[in-house]
Amino acid sequence: MTENSQQRPDSGPNSHPELPTQYAPADVEGQLYERWVERGYFEADENSGKEPYTIVIPPPNVTGSLHLGHAFEHTIIDALTRRKRMQGYETLWQPGMDHAGIATQNVVERELAKEGVSRHDLGREAFVERVWQWKASSGGQISGQMRRLGDGVAWNRERFTMDEGLSKAVQTIFKKLYDDELIYRAERIINWCPRCLTAISDIEVEYQDDDGELVSIRYGEGDASIVVATTRAETMLGDTAVAVHPDDERYRHLIGTEIELPLTGRRIPVVADEHVDPEFGTGAVKVTPAHDPNDFEIGQRHGLPSLTVMDEHAVITAHGPFQGLDRLEARSAIVGALRADGRIVAEKRPYAHSVGHCSRCKTTIEPRLSMQWWVKVGPLAKAAGDAVRDGRVKIHPEDMAKRYFDWVDNLHDWCISRQLWWGHRIPVWYGPNGEVVCVGPDEQPPSGEGWHQDSDVLDTWFSSGLWPFSTLGWPEDTGSLRKFYPNSVLVTGYDILFFWVARMMMFGLYAMDGTPPFHTIALHGMVRDQFGKKMSKSFGNAVNPLDWMDQYGSDAVRFTLARGANPGVDVPIGEDWVQASRNFANKIWNATRFALMNGATVEGELPAAERLSAADRWILSRLNTVVAEVDAYYEDYQFAKLSDVLYHFAWDEVFDWYVELSKTTFAQGGEAADASRRVLGEVLDVMLRLLHPVVPFVTEKLWTALTGRESVVIADWPRDSGFRDAAAEQEITTLQQVVTEVRRFRADQGLQPGQKVPARLDLSGTPLAAHEDAMRSLLRLQPAGEGFTATASLPVAGATVALDLSGAIDVEAERKRLAKDLAAAEKDKAQTTAKLNNEAFLAKAPDHVVEKIRQRQTTADADIARITAQLAALPQG
């Protein structure tokens, strides 16, 4: 399994640099990463003959910094690409950042506010220049943090969604969509932020339950009156109808008539619409087409006018006493006026209901009728759905595919214009006589008096939707595009499946002649705290991963995240888990240091199986099984399982058993010791390579020290040689059973771990005779000398271990302690048995309570058996 023949430039093959007694991540990680970058390990060669393996980074915002969600996602992607690189693929992990229109503009505007100026004081051109200056000096700090984490990205290919090449891609696809009549301009309801003064996408709206009020208002008089309920009374100024269900007998006589709208003097029609739920509330709804998406649809169906009663700042514009009031001020004033007019039928306060907020500034979103640019998504979304249905793209885990279809099969047209200055400006010019011209990247825009460009910019998701191919040089026919498109896999969170992923699918299939942007969509969950709660600054449980990296090392953070990474499932993480991963890294370090001090080597061929001890053959057999298991889990994106397999193999089998068994072999010397040194070197070599994609730093330091070769980053990925030895595995399993049982007995008798006691081992009839020295060493057992008297005898797995405990323990005190424990266990057994035999109790108790009592009974049975055996094993007399 040792295929790699690379040599380290500064070390010969037999040179093992001495490792410090303790592993200090801070002394290792930074210099190793810079060495990897300098040597070009992460660069991708489009001209190589290797099979490509491509992953794009979900581009972080230029305003962002590394959080645990980034660290989690990057760990998964880095592990995948490191393994594929070791397997001989031409790997490209494409890095870059998103210009993050709204977020970046807000950051720079806050900076300007400190200087006492606004963007309007600067003007558009000067403001955009100021943003570029901010980006150069302060943006992109996440790049340095990615290096801290060990991200193996191709830094020489780093892209930015506003750079020249990507801007050309944006203009090209806009023009293509426009010419194909898939982009149009229309007045529709959008999410509007009165603070940011722009339309925002659905993903930029955060919903939370707010306390408001639900007021029921009577429209009309007498038999010609209808009661409607609303949480937004201020919008009634823009009502243009009341809608009821056509089959609702209560209102059939009013359909087609008009009723008076309170406070306004206007009369509005009563319309019948099947959208109305007659079972909800009064079965009648007010219709405000300019300020509610559902009402807009009703208005379109019935030809109702749309009255805008608020400006972009959410200030009332409707003529009357409420004009000039903020929406919340107007709400209170309007309810007061309705109350005075006897129009309030009922009030419910507080009334908790879901309200959308701008994710950037937390301002309550206002649905607003606005002239915007839209993408007609129907044919694009159908293509995106078909690509998954026909198997060209696989979604992992498979059960997430339903959520994908639920989204793409029901997509509404996409509002792509934003009322910002930072971003890709819409490439449309308007002429003095109503002309509209869309300009491609190689075309000259119209000029002359009266011509002007649209002032809006494109939604950030528009440019990030091109990411898998725009980063490779599209629309040019580049070598990178031919080599690395489509991407092999997209690794991203299920939370943006509907937004970013769907847009990449639509644009990739459209721009690349039906070729989807990736073969597989591997979805992961969200990182949560150890109690499963969402991490948030407001909850006080948010963690800066850099703090943990400083304290425990980047490998510890990565391994913790990987061990929690089950496909599509949220990941709980706590600091104690990171500490445990740090301990694991230390264990790997100490074990490898021991191996080097005792001559472990990777030089030369492995000895033939007949020259190896049972322990040697056992660990090699187990090693090949682990290689096969890890490979299978990688192919299924089961990071938690592959990490767990490696953890338990390394700690439980290699360190706790094979290394300990080797100590006896090394002490005896001879050919057996030489064989074990080579086997130990082989096991550590393969194990470190298997661990490397997840914990790259400590494995690099140890592997190069062990092998004398250049870098584990470019080492060969281990292969399952097919070697298995069931007999050796059974032999060592038997040894483990005996040692484990005797250790348990020693602990139960109160013996200290290092306390030695005389013992006689009868191993006849078992395959353990060759292991007696090792077993005595592991169990701290002295030879049975003159006058040996067995005071306890343990039969285990066909072997018998007789111990002389006289003088080692206070037998009478131990008997009293065990008798007390036995009485407690028997009492618990009696109590649980009584409850489980009580039919009345079983009939009333919840299932989980009954199950808990059954578990207590099982535990009591096991305790009784164990303590009884311990009492029987105590010396008599």
Side-chain angles (χ1 to χ4, degrees):
M1 286 178 287
T2 303
E3 305 93 349
N4 198 282
S5 60
Q6 55 171 311
Q7 294 296 317
R8 192 173 61 206
D10 54 353
S11 178
N14 297 310
S15 173
H16 297 306
E18 185 175 342
L19 295 171
T21 55
Q22 291 184 321
Y23 177 49
D27 296 340
V28 170
E29 294 175 349
Q31 59 178 320
L32 287 184
Y33 189 85
E34 290 310 311
R35 185 188 303 161
W36 294 335
V37 173
E38 288 167 7
R39 292 179 177 174
Y41 294 157
F42 306 142
E43 294 175 12
D45 182 2
E46 65 195 46
N47 297 314
S48 80
K50 298 178 181 178
E51 185 177 347
Y53 185 82
T54 316
I55 298 182
V56 294
I57 189 174
N61 288 352
V62 68
T63 59
S65 60
L66 194 73
H67 56 63
L68 268 179
H70 288 127
F72 171 56
E73 186 167 77
H74 290 201
T75 295
I76 293 174
I77 298 174
D78 196 40
L80 287 171
T81 52
R82 284 180 183 270
R83 173 175 174 260
K84 287 296 184 180
R85 186 180 296 112
M86 296 171 76
Q87 286 182 316
Y89 287 78
E90 191 63 51
T91 58
L92 168 59
W93 182 8
Q94 175 66 55
M97 286 182 291
D98 192 285
H99 65 278
I102 245 179
T104 306
Q105 180 157 319
N106 281 348
V107 167
V108 178
E109 285 198 80
R110 284 195 294 270
E111 293 295 315
L112 290 174
K114 295 175 185 177
E115 303 170 16
V117 296
S118 72
R119 63 182 166 111
H120 300 286
D121 296 326
L122 292 182
R124 183 169 193 145
E125 188 174 332
F127 175 75
V128 170
E129 178 58 32
R130 183 66 177 262
V131 180
W132 278 108
Q133 291 171 9
W134 175 87
K135 191 258 181 186
S137 62
S138 303
Q141 62 173 311
I142 201 168
S143 296
Q145 297 165 342
M146 287 166 59
R147 292 171 181 263
R148 284 287 312 278
L149 189 64
D151 287 0
V153 300
W155 288 113
N156 61 323
R157 291 173 173 263
E158 188 173 11
R159 302 303 300 268
F160 179 53
T161 51
M162 286 281 285
D163 68 27
E164 183 179 352
L166 269 64
S167 294
K168 181 177 182 180
V170 167
Q171 196 171 352
T172 299
I173 201 163
F174 187 99
K175 170 72 171 172
K176 181 174 169 59
L177 288 162
Y178 183 88
D179 290 346
D180 288 345
E181 299 183 347
L182 292 173
I183 280 183
Y184 63 94
R185 194 169 184 240
E187 196 173 39
R188 299 278 183 83
I189 291 284
I190 45 86
N191 300 309
W192 181 265
C193 176
R195 155 62 184 80
C196 299
L197 298 180
T198 181
I200 64 173
S201 67
D202 292 337
I203 198 172
E204 292 166 318
V205 180
E206 293 179 348
Y207 288 90
Q208 65 185 49
D209 284 343
D210 287 356
D211 281 339
E213 60 179 346
L214 181 68
V215 293
S216 298
I217 309 167
R218 179 170 52 85
Y219 288 16
E221 302 292 346
D223 290 340
S225 67
I226 294 181
V227 175
V228 299
T230 181
T231 58
R232 301 168 67 221
E234 68 280 8
T235 64
M236 69 166 290
L237 300 176
D239 286 359
T240 57
V242 171
V244 298
H245 194 277
D247 298 331
D248 194 329
E249 292 293 338
R250 293 171 294 177
Y251 305 118
R252 186 180 293 275
H253 67 291
L254 293 177
I255 296 173
T257 67
E258 290 185 341
I259 58 176
E260 184 175 342
L261 177 65
L263 305 182
T264 68
R266 288 193 291 113
R267 295 187 68 79
I268 58 176
V270 178
V271 300
D273 195 282
E274 293 189 351
H275 167 78
V276 179
D277 181 0
E279 303 298 322
F280 183 76
T282 63
V285 296
K286 58 192 288 298
V287 182
T288 320
H291 294 278
D292 183 274
N294 294 323
D295 292 3
F296 178 79
E297 297 295 332
I298 293 175
Q300 292 289 294
R301 287 194 289 271
H302 296 277
L304 300 174
S306 297
L307 302 182
T308 299
V309 296
M310 274 180 267
D311 67 12
E312 64 270 21
H313 298 279
V315 171
I316 300 298
T317 58
H319 183 71
F322 312 109
Q323 188 174 9
L325 294 180
D326 170 83
R327 57 183 165 169
L328 298 182
E329 296 172 335
R331 182 177 302 170
S332 178
I334 288 170
V335 170
L338 289 167
R339 190 183 297 114
D341 200 29
R343 293 285 175 178
I344 300 295
V345 175
E347 295 180 71
K348 187 174 183 180
R349 187 186 301 112
Y351 178 74
H353 60 124
S354 181
V355 177
H357 296 261
C358 174
S359 63
R360 303 300 177 190
C361 67
K362 311 308 177 187
T363 302
T364 300
I365 290 302
E366 191 63 44
R368 187 168 188 263
L369 187 64
S370 180
M371 182 67 75
Q372 303 284 347
W373 285 95
W374 303 81
V375 171
K376 187 184 296 182
V377 300
L380 303 175
K382 182 181 184 303
D386 290 346
V388 175
R389 285 190 171 94
D390 64 25
R392 282 176 290 157
V393 178
K394 298 188 182 303
I395 292 180
H396 188 88
E398 289 182 5
D399 57 8
M400 287 284 181
K402 181 181 183 301
R403 298 177 65 176
Y404 175 80
F405 293 133
D406 287 345
W407 180 257
V408 298
D409 292 347
N410 298 285
L411 267 180
H412 297 294
D413 284 0
W414 171 20
C415 176
I416 56 172
S417 46
R418 298 291 179 265
Q419 289 64 55
L420 303 170
W421 287 358
W422 172 245
H424 296 102
R425 195 164 174 180
I426 289 176
V428 171
W429 271 256
Y430 304 105
N433 299 311
E435 301 96 332
V436 179
V437 177
C438 180
V439 178
D442 300 319
E443 299 171 351
Q444 285 295 322
S447 59
E449 186 176 349
W451 283 94
H452 65 280
Q453 186 177 359
D454 195 299
S455 60
D456 288 352
V457 301
L458 287 164
D459 177 13
T460 298
W461 295 102
F462 191 94
S463 52
S464 61
L466 314 181
W467 194 247
F469 53 93
S470 64
T471 52
L472 298 173
W474 187 90
E476 306 302 327
D477 181 21
T478 65
S480 289
L481 191 64
R482 292 193 299 271
K483 178 77 171 182
F484 295 112
Y485 187 91
N487 294 184
S488 305
V489 62
L490 173 75
V491 177
T492 192
Y494 62 70
D495 58 324
I496 56 174
L497 171 65
F498 317 125
F499 304 102
W500 187 46
V501 179
R503 282 150 175 70
M504 286 191 290
M505 286 285 284
M506 291 191 295
F507 281 167
L509 289 158
Y510 174 74
M512 300 300 293
D513 300 320
T515 302
F518 17 74
H519 298 301
T520 301
I521 302 168
L523 298 169
H524 59 72
M526 305 295 101
V527 177
R528 298 182 178 271
D529 69 13
Q530 64 265 43
F531 306 110
K533 190 174 182 179
K534 179 182 177 181
M535 284 192 173
S536 166
K537 290 181 180 178
S538 60
F539 295 154
N541 63 350
V543 173
N544 183 347
L546 296 175
D547 292 340
W548 280 354
M549 286 186 229
D550 289 342
Q551 191 166 0
Y552 305 111
S554 297
D555 284 333
V557 174
R558 290 172 60 116
F559 193 70
T560 304
L561 291 165
R563 285 195 81 182
N566 290 297
V569 178
D570 288 346
V571 183
I573 184 172
E575 187 169 3
D576 54 340
W577 303 339
V578 185
Q579 291 173 353
S581 296
R582 185 268 317 272
N583 295 342
F584 180 52
N586 289 342
K587 188 77 171 179
I588 301 170
W589 182 272
N590 293 334
T592 306
R593 187 169 178 273
F594 163 83
L596 291 174
M597 292 171 63
N598 285 274
T601 181
V602 297
E603 298 306 317
E605 295 295 321
L606 278 170
E610 56 271 17
R611 292 181 50 209
L612 299 176
S613 68
D616 293 335
R617 288 180 279 113
W618 160 72
I619 200 64
L620 290 174
S621 182
R622 287 291 305 129
L623 179 65
N624 277 284
T625 298
V626 167
V627 169
E629 288 177 346
V630 168
D631 274 334
Y633 286 138
Y634 260 114
E635 295 305 314
D636 200 33
Y637 304 98
Q638 297 278 2
F639 286 90
K641 291 181 178 179
L642 72 88
S643 298
D644 217 44
V645 165
L646 287 170
Y647 176 88
H648 288 293
F649 173 70
W651 197 306
D652 299 347
E653 298 184 81
V654 178
F655 305 153
D656 282 358
W657 287 103
Y658 185 69
V659 167
E660 292 302 315
L661 291 170
S662 297
K663 289 178 180 179
T664 303
T665 308
F666 294 158
Q668 292 172 343
E671 287 188 8
D674 289 340
S676 289
R677 289 187 182 97
R678 180 63 187 87
V679 170
L680 181 55
E682 179 77 5
V683 170
L684 291 175
D685 168 22
V686 173
M687 186 188 76
L688 291 171
R689 283 187 278 149
L690 290 173
L691 282 165
H692 172 72
V694 179
V695 284
F697 294 109
V698 69
T699 51
E700 170 80 337
K701 190 71 175 176
L702 294 175
W703 190 83
T704 53
L706 173 71
T707 66
R709 296 178 181 133
E710 181 181 340
S711 175
V712 70
V713 176
I714 54 172
D716 292 327
W717 182 252
R719 298 173 188 165
D720 175 8
S721 71
F723 176 79
R724 301 290 191 278
D725 193 322
E729 290 196 36
Q730 183 56 53
E731 183 172 327
I732 300 303
T733 297
T734 302
L735 181 149
Q736 291 171 328
Q737 289 175 338
V738 175
V739 171
T740 300
E741 187 58 36
V742 175
R743 280 176 171 168
R744 183 181 297 118
F745 176 76
R746 284 176 56 103
D748 288 341
Q749 303 308 316
L751 293 176
Q752 296 301 311
Q755 189 175 354
K756 294 185 177 182
V757 295
R760 179 180 295 121
L761 277 60
D762 181 2
L763 305 176
S764 56
T766 74
L768 302 181
H771 302 287
E772 179 168 349
D773 289 347
M775 292 171 68
R776 285 188 177 277
S777 176
L778 291 167
L779 291 168
R780 304 296 190 267
L781 301 180
Q782 295 173 326
E786 292 281 340
F788 173 83
T789 303
T791 59
S793 183
L794 298 175
V796 187
T800 302
V801 180
L803 304 169
D804 180 3
L805 301 180
S806 58
I809 60 172
D810 184 336
V811 176
E812 193 54 39
E814 186 63 15
R815 184 174 282 113
K816 288 180 180 179
R817 183 185 72 80
L818 290 172
K820 183 178 179 181
D821 290 348
L822 181 61
E826 289 174 336
K827 180 180 179 181
D828 205 35
K829 169 70 181 295
Q831 290 175 340
T832 55
T833 300
K835 285 188 176 182
L836 293 174
N837 289 338
N838 185 333
E839 294 296 334
F841 169 78
L842 293 176
K844 294 180 180 179
D847 290 345
H848 73 274
V849 173
V850 175
E851 181 57 29
K852 190 173 182 180
I853 291 172
R854 286 200 177 100
Q855 290 174 358
R856 277 179 53 200
Q857 186 186 59
T858 300
T859 300
D861 283 334
D863 287 344
I864 290 169
R866 176 179 55 81
I867 297 167
T868 301
Q870 290 174 227
L871 282 167
L874 285 174
Q876 301 300 312

